[in-house]
Amino acid sequence: MATRALLGAIKKRAVSFPAFPGHSGYRHGSTLVVAEHEGGFIKPPSLSALAAATCLPDPYSSVSVLLAGSGPSLHQAASHAASCHPSISKVLVADSDKFKNPLAEPWAKLVHLLQQSSGYSHIIAAANSFGKNVMPRAAALLDVSPITDVTGISDSNTFVSDLSSNCLSLKNLEQMSLHVANICWKCTLNHRYTGANPCILTIRSTSFPVPQKSVDSKSNEASISQVDLSTFDEDLDKSRYISQTSQDDERPDLGNARIVVTGGQALKSCENFKLIEDLAKKLVAAVGATRAAVDAGYVPNDLQVGQTGKIVAPELYMAFGVSGAIQHLAGMRDSKVIVAVNNDADAPIFQVADYGLFEVIPELLEKLPEKK
């Protein structure tokens, strides 16, 4: 009864962030998109952050893109950013070896420096590992409260997020009834921001799709400006970059794949999980896993799908041996078609799946043709 009342209250109210003394709402302002780049191009999650910035309804607001790092790829990415969307008015380039690695300390100080000089009304980044690392620290330096995992923008001050992303603080969530879990999965929260500038957002990239036909015209190019780093002073003793490892294979990237094949703990062993990998290879799909499967050591944690892993929204999502915990649903709920394969007919995943099947992996592997 208490849980039902709590969820009912959350469902009906908007969450407000109190104003600070001396601030009385927004002026017509500008938006800064903190972007990542790789190989001379803006990464897809950052393009989604840019799409979110264009959803802000203020017609007088301008959009600037911040890129940082060093080397030729940085300037290639700046050229790409300048022509990738007509809404971009300026590309800011911070060229320094201090930003070649995604450490939170220098990046957050860079955002703080730009805010002090330019006074943005909104600062936006993707809610991926980069954005979740940098933006909370930047918000702390600016003494504002960030709004995270935004899935919709109602107006310049009101933002939508899933209730599921806020339920993680409820310690007894996994012991709640299926009915309550479904409420958490379906409900949203409206966050009404009334605090000081800037309003800092991390957006769920799957909720802000990038148009397939991007603008790439020289006539629409934004200006490119170098960030003055003469006053930038960052103490890097708090953390240091060691190395980065990635899976070197031919599979599509999990975050951007058209098809994702995910396995859960019910597969019971690394050997059985190899069936998932074999099926993904035949489908030219990415491989995903639940947190339980990752914790069991079946696959590395960079394949985890869910609230604390990667957020995906493929055209086809196939879940094998996945029970359907709310944390996992939060990471794949925007998939176009969901196919659940589980020998437990009462598994919660079936309540959100478009199609439900039982043990079919061996038969699929036998009948699917080899990838050409």
Side-chain angles (χ1 to χ4, degrees):
M1 183 66 70
T3 300
R4 186 181 305 169
L6 171 64
L7 291 172
I10 293 175
K11 182 178 180 181
K12 293 177 181 178
R13 70 185 176 111
V15 178
S16 296
F17 291 81
F20 290 85
H23 296 271
S24 57
Y26 287 114
R27 305 175 303 275
H28 292 306
S30 55
T31 300
L32 177 68
V33 176
V34 182
E36 293 180 276
H37 63 94
E38 185 177 37
F41 294 93
I42 307 299
K43 287 188 175 183
S46 295
L47 291 175
S48 294
L50 174 60
T54 63
C55 293
L56 292 168
D58 187 351
Y60 302 101
S61 178
S62 60
V63 178
S64 299
V65 175
L66 171 62
L67 294 172
S70 62
S73 64
L74 171 64
H75 300 283
Q76 293 170 9
S79 298
H80 174 231
S83 59
C84 73
H85 200 286
S87 296
I88 299 175
S89 60
K90 184 184 293 186
V91 178
L92 302 172
V93 177
D95 191 346
S96 172
D97 287 340
K98 296 177 181 178
F99 310 114
K100 67 180 180 180
N101 301 315
L103 293 175
E105 288 84 1
W107 275 87
K109 280 231 175 164
L110 177 61
V111 172
H112 179 266
L113 175 68
L114 290 172
Q115 176 60 25
Q116 295 297 101
S117 62
S118 302
Y120 296 102
S121 59
H122 298 77
I123 301 178
I124 302 176
N128 56 4
S129 58
F130 172 78
K132 291 177 181 179
N133 189 32
V134 173
M135 299 305 277
R137 191 176 188 89
L141 291 175
L142 293 166
D143 198 21
V144 297
S145 298
I147 302 177
T148 60
D149 273 313
V150 170
T151 59
I153 296 176
S154 301
D155 58 46
S156 296
N157 301 334
T158 308
F159 311 95
V160 181
S161 67
D162 292 324
L163 180 58
S164 59
S165 65
N166 294 272
C167 282
L168 292 177
S169 61
L170 300 178
K171 294 181 180 180
N172 62 338
L173 178 62
E174 293 183 356
Q175 284 73 43
M176 289 183 180
S177 67
L178 177 60
H179 172 69
V180 172
N182 284 337
I183 291 176
C184 288
W185 185 72
K186 294 176 182 177
C187 291
T188 58
L189 289 174
N190 287 321
H191 297 268
R192 180 75 179 174
Y193 186 83
T194 57
N197 284 355
C199 176
I200 291 186
L201 309 173
T202 61
I203 61 95
R204 187 171 293 183
S205 57
T206 55
S207 299
F208 297 92
V210 179
Q212 291 184 352
K213 197 172 184 180
S214 61
V215 176
D216 194 5
S217 172
K218 297 295 181 183
S219 62
N220 291 318
E221 273 199 3
S223 62
I224 300 176
S225 302
Q226 296 290 325
V227 176
D228 181 7
L229 299 174
S230 60
T231 59
F232 185 87
D233 182 20
E234 172 56 29
D235 180 9
L236 297 179
D237 291 338
K238 296 177 182 177
S239 63
R240 62 188 178 91
Y241 179 83
I242 298 176
S243 65
Q244 179 177 346
T245 59
S246 60
Q247 297 295 313
D248 186 16
D249 55 38
E250 299 179 354
R251 289 196 296 261
D253 176 67
L254 177 58
N256 305 305
R258 286 182 57 252
I259 304 173
V260 174
V261 182
T262 293
Q265 190 180 24
L267 293 173
K268 296 184 178 179
S269 69
C270 297
E271 291 73 21
N272 289 339
F273 206 97
K274 193 175 183 306
L275 293 173
I276 297 293
E277 296 171 344
D278 293 342
L279 179 59
K281 186 176 181 180
K282 287 200 171 188
L283 294 174
V284 195
V287 173
T290 63
R291 178 169 180 171
V294 168
D295 290 344
Y298 301 161
V299 288
N301 59 9
D302 59 343
L303 298 184
Q304 181 182 330
V305 174
Q307 184 65 37
T308 55
K310 292 186 177 179
I311 309 295
V312 300
E315 294 179 18
L316 174 62
Y317 187 86
M318 303 181 73
F320 293 88
V322 175
S323 63
I326 187 173
Q327 291 91 340
H328 185 77
L329 298 182
M332 42 69 72
R333 59 170 294 179
D334 294 325
S335 302
K336 308 303 182 291
V337 177
I338 300 173
V339 177
V341 181
N342 199 308
N343 57 13
D344 179 6
D346 297 323
I349 189 71
F350 287 122
Q351 297 204 11
V352 300
D354 298 288
Y355 301 95
L357 303 171
F358 291 91
E359 296 180 5
V360 296
I361 299 181
E363 188 175 354
L364 281 173
L365 288 173
E366 181 181 343
K367 294 186 176 182
L368 284 173
E370 292 291 341
K371 182 183 71 170
K372 294 182 179 180

